[in-house]
Amino acid sequence: MTTTAPSTSRATPAGRPPRIAVVGVHGHGASHVRRVLELQRAGEAALGAVVDPREPGPGHDAHDTAPWFPTLGDLLSTPGHEVDVVVLSTPIPTHLPLARAAMEADLDVLLEKPTTASLAEHAELVAVAERTGRRCQVGFQTFGSQAVPAAAAMVAAGEIGEVVGLGAVGTWVRDAAYWARAPWAGRRHLDGRDVVDGVVTNPLAHAVATTLLLGGATRTEDVAWVDTDLYRAHPVEADDTSSVRVVGADGRRYGFGLTLCAPRRSPARVLVLGTRGELEYFYEDDRLRLRSGRVTVEKTYGRTSLLDDLLAARTDPRRELACDVRATGAFMRVLEAVRTAPDPTPVPEDRFEWRGDGDGRHAVVHDVERWCEQAARTQQTFAELGAPWTA
């Protein structure tokens, strides 16, 4: 992976910790606020501002801890409230304009995944980073895991023989409350703009991006083509049960079996399949399992926070970002294929059931776990495998 061009403009004054603004402080953004406050207590950073249309109220970590602004534009245009880094945890359609505004204001950016809402927007964002010389880190946290280079070393050492394919299995549960969390949730488009909030591109985007990373596919040109097979059981626009096949420019094949309609939530897994064994990477807890012959070895690794990584890179121009915006190009090829694919096919009513009530109501597609496993291991789509809901 390569980093953005070394910054040639404003640096944090010596002796002062970098000031960080968190944009979008409700939902997942609250975890970013907590991390910045941890760094502040350690003297390594300061929470310079919080930005959200809704002011953080009593009980929120951001309440009375830093100046509040309703928009990023308000912060950037207010004298005396300069910051050095912006963390963006905002709706997908806002990623490009907000990241562009921050970098053009001479700030470095940590941008939540998915990178942008389209491949064209991703290309524009890369161009902004190159033009401004600012750093843009994307929030695929697994890129900071020490399990990733460990897995690469095992493969290079021939622990599983020749790699014959890679895949990811994600069998999660999302209920009515999840799909109602925001106006853009579960949408492919909103108010004339792309959203692409489906299982492949948002909740299980880490499975896709991490599998591609382990196979050496990070940049846009590393992907030759993508086949999508998209379905939905919930009454939403986007896909909630999908299979995807990716073929790399080097001929390597990747298969993804992903659903939000499982009977229970299982740990997401990345598979590296070899002629003499396989690696399983449980990326949510950085656990790597090697199966080779009669031997099974398992180890849990550490992970570097992507915000910490970005702050370290700001002080060392030679340091590469763990997840530079360019290194999400391969993932964006998958997102683009999903974005431009036909609308997901509804799962027939006799192929799934409803469980739970109220906000906890969720769809369960029959035997979906088995079909997701097969899609990942064979690099075939649900339709090619003959999954019953594809008839």
Side-chain angles (χ1 to χ4, degrees), residues 19-60:
R19 289 189 292 241
I20 301 171
V22 179
V23 183
V25 299
H26 300 284
H28 182 63
S31 65
H32 288 295
V33 172
R34 289 191 291 271
R35 179 57 188 156
V36 176
L37 291 175
E38 289 173 358
L39 293 171
Q40 182 169 284
R41 288 189 287 272
E44 298 174 8
L47 183 62
V50 293
V51 178
D52 199 288
R54 289 186 293 148
E55 184 174 4
H60 195 290

Side-chain angles (χ1 to χ4, degrees), residues 164-241:
V164 295
L166 296 95
V169 182
T171 51
W172 285 6
V173 176
R174 289 293 186 265
D175 56 21
Y178 173 83
W179 298 115
R181 72 192 188 280
W184 52 269
R187 302 294 295 268
R188 286 169 63 81
H189 313 281
L190 181 65
D191 297 332
R193 299 192 63 184
D194 292 315
V195 176
V196 206
D197 181 42
V199 61
V200 176
T201 54
N202 198 1
L204 281 162
H206 277 91
V208 177
T210 307
T211 305
L212 293 169
L213 173 66
L214 285 175
T218 56
R219 291 184 171 241
T220 307
E221 59 268 25
D222 292 336
V223 172
W225 75 79
V226 181
D227 296 320
T228 62
D229 191 25
L230 314 178
Y231 301 88
R232 61 169 181 82
H234 290 93
V236 295
E237 284 183 356
D239 56 310
D240 60 25
T241 300

Side-chain angles (χ1 to χ4, degrees), residues 3 22 64 95 108 111-112 121 132 134 140 145 170 176 194 202 212 230 245 252 278 295 302 321 374:
T3 186
V22 179
D64 288 340
H95 286 190
D108 293 317
L111 174 64
E112 264 303 337
E121 287 190 352
T132 62
R134 304 315 305 179
F140 285 110
S145 174
D194 292 315
N202 198 1
L212 293 169
L230 314 178
R245 175 175 48 240
R252 184 163 280 178
E278 67 180 44
V295 178
L321 290 174
Q374 287 194 37

Side-chain angles (χ1 to χ4, degrees), residues 232-234 347-354 363-366:
R232 61 169 181 82
H234 290 93
V347 175
E349 292 183 4
D350 63 344
R351 300 300 182 182
F352 74 97
E353 62 185 83
W354 290 105
V364 176
V365 175
H366 298 165

